[in-house]
Amino acid sequence: MAASMTAKSSAFLAPRALVPQAPAGAPRGRPVHWEVRCGAYDEELVATANSIASAGRGILAMDESNATCGKRLDSIGVENTEDNRRTYRELLVTTPGLGQYISGAILFEETLYQSASDGRTFVQCLKEQNIVPGIKVDKGLVPMTNSNGESWCQGLDGLAQRCAEYYKAGARFCKWRSVVSIPGGPTPMALRDCAYGLARYAAIAQEAGLVPIVEPEVLLDGDHDIDTTFKVAQDIWAETFKYLADNKVLFEGILLKPSMVTPGAECPKRESPETVADYTLKMLKSRVPPAVPGIMFLSGGQSEMEATLNLNAMNQSPNPWHVSFSYARALQNSVLKTWQGDASNSKAAQEALIKRAKANSMAQLGKYDPAEESAEAGKGMYEKGYTY
Ligand code: 13P
């Protein structure tokens, strides 16, 4: 990485304090690895991360690949065409008042370049509501040879160029989802690959001005108990932070997207929101430095209500970081069911989105009251072997 700095970065004072400097008396005349962070966008990365991690707000994940979006549309009898995907996403990004509860929206590449029917780009629609546009940059999971049926995440090739293009198109943060699976027992090889890939991605994204969401999802598949999930989550986050540090990623300019620590989906012993919150926070407090601005959980197949109740339980006392949501299924399920592909239902579907976004906003503040929830909000969305 070049050590040169732009005029923009040299005008910003904080990163000099954030970037480790060589201690006085350090040996001279050989490469000093602690001084090589480029950091041209550091000021902006910190500002973007903090604006996404703002009180009472979280992320709308709407970055389903075309195939996964197709499955969603299929569930309501709508054909998977580019225009139907665009129409559905238009409904989401033009929801009046969304910016009060949503600070960022993760888009799929196709969606980043699409526009609403009134001619405004989706990026403009989001910015007008003070919602930061984000983009999924990984290229998906493929089977890992010689593993316990595990996967690895593709997408580092050409990533720097893609990130530069996405920044030009208006994206300011991005997501890379890698997974850890428990049923076969995660192999050290798969844990290391997941952590190292996330760290390389995060460094490349920051160099292009995008705040990286770091997402090593511990999958729900399996009948293991909550203690097993706890142990695996500790292992993957320990490795992830080791490699983030090795890759000189600026912790103040990232966001995390962990799974909550829960029992496996097929474990007969279920746990209360208070227990899930205790385990999850204990795990994160032992692994995540307070320099990280925000923890934005994924919903991972929990029901809409379960995801909200668990988040609420985690915000009953102050945390070292903003603890919020980055949900796809737990924000969109009732929206899709209400919409049914019929324009005359669009307003009601937007109201359903506001209802979920507001419930999660209250949960971010620790003030959620489930009394008015519908039966639909309590239905689980777990799918064995789910791909995103
Ligand atoms: P879910 O909330 O549906 O698990 O989505 C997770 C995700 O990674 C989307 O960005």
Side-chain angles (χ1 to χ4, degrees):
M1 213 185 277
S4 66
M5 287 209 157
T6 63
K8 185 177 177 186
S9 70
S10 57
F12 175 54
L13 297 177
R16 279 212 69 72
L18 298 174
V19 176
Q21 299 298 306
R28 292 186 176 277
R30 60 190 168 92
V32 206
H33 76 276
W34 47 74
E35 282 191 303
V36 297
R37 231 195 95 73
C38 173
Y41 286 100
D42 283 356
E43 178 181 16
E44 192 177 322
L45 293 169
V46 175
T48 303
N50 281 293
S51 119
I52 294 172
S54 59
R57 299 204 302 160
I59 296 175
L60 167 62
M62 45 178 288
D63 58 314
E64 296 85 359
S65 61
N66 290 349
T68 306
C69 188
K71 280 197 230 159
R72 301 284 158 78
L73 294 177
D74 190 51
S75 75
I76 54 165
V78 173
E79 202 190 335
N80 186 17
T81 62
E82 181 174 346
D83 199 49
N84 286 340
R85 293 191 295 271
R86 194 206 60 75
T87 305
Y88 173 58
R89 265 75 179 253
E90 172 170 352
L91 182 157
L92 300 177
V93 302
T94 59
T95 297
L98 194 63
Q100 194 181 337
Y101 312 116
I102 299 294
S103 51
I106 317 174
L107 310 176
F108 190 62
E109 189 177 40
E110 172 183 279
T111 320
L112 181 71
Y113 297 100
Q114 282 175 331
S115 299
S117 21
D118 63 7
R120 287 176 304 152
T121 63
F122 284 172
V123 166
Q124 261 176 290
C125 297
L126 291 168
K127 284 193 187 160
E128 283 169 18
Q129 293 230 47
N130 192 25
I131 300 174
V132 182
I135 176 84
K136 171 186 169 76
V137 297
D138 67 72
K139 293 276 182 192
L141 301 165
V142 285
M144 175 174 269
T145 313
N146 299 335
S147 71
N148 281 340
E150 296 159 286
S151 313
W152 65 282
C153 183
Q154 308 177 105
L156 289 175
D157 284 2
L159 181 61
Q161 291 81 352
R162 291 206 305 285
C163 286
E165 287 303 316
Y166 298 149
Y167 184 94
K168 268 196 233 150
R172 290 295 178 271
F173 76 107
C174 58
K175 162 188 147 174
W176 174 285
R177 173 180 178 264
S178 209
V179 298
V180 174
S181 61
I182 296 183
T187 55
M189 166 179 78
L191 285 175
R192 195 173 318 119
D193 182 79
C194 170
Y196 193 75
L198 281 163
R200 290 299 309 134
Y201 137 79
I204 293 167
Q206 286 192 335
E207 196 181 17
L210 302 180
V211 169
I213 291 187
V214 177
E215 181 180 2
E217 176 171 351
V218 179
L219 295 172
L220 278 181
D221 303 66
D223 59 4
H224 50 275
D225 61 11
I226 194 167
D227 289 291
T228 306
T229 310
F230 181 84
K231 163 88 183 56
V232 171
Q234 271 200 323
D235 288 351
I236 187 58
W237 281 110
E239 290 228 29
T240 301
F241 271 97
K242 181 219 171 330
Y243 289 120
L244 286 170
D246 285 357
N247 280 274
K248 301 177 184 67
V249 170
L250 179 72
F251 290 175
E252 288 80 354
I254 62 176
L255 293 167
L256 307 187
K257 183 157 169 164
S259 334
M260 295 177 190
V261 177
T262 64
E266 283 128 342
C267 176
K269 186 167 184 285
R270 305 315 301 165
E271 304 289 354
S272 66
E274 291 68 32
T275 305
V276 169
D278 280 354
Y279 271 79
T280 308
L281 291 175
K282 187 170 170 208
M283 186 280 291
L284 291 170
K285 283 178 183 165
S286 71
R287 290 293 180 267
V288 181
V292 171
I295 310 255
M296 322 297 286
F297 286 102
L298 58 93
S299 59
Q302 303 177 62
S303 73
E304 291 180 330
M305 210 157 94
E306 204 181 346
T308 311
L309 282 168
N310 288 341
L311 180 62
N312 190 54
M314 280 189 251
N315 282 304
Q316 294 309 302
S317 48
N319 288 307
W321 346 261
H322 174 81
V323 172
S324 193
F325 59 93
S326 173
Y327 297 158
R329 282 165 282 179
L331 277 172
Q332 293 184 50
N333 188 46
S334 38
V335 182
L336 271 166
K337 296 231 159 93
T338 310
W339 180 51
Q340 296 290 326
D342 182 341
S344 68
N345 294 331
S346 294
K347 190 162 172 286
Q350 290 183 327
E351 284 162 6
L353 178 58
I354 287 290
K355 184 167 180 200
R356 288 286 13 115
K358 186 173 176 192
N360 287 302
S361 160
M362 295 307 284
Q364 196 291 307
L365 300 169
K367 295 180 182 160
Y368 167 63
D369 176 3
E372 288 176 16
E373 293 286 9
S374 65
E376 186 60 41
K379 285 192 193 152
M381 285 168 278
Y382 167 71
E383 241 180 78
K384 203 173 172 145
Y386 181 77
T387 52
Y388 207 73

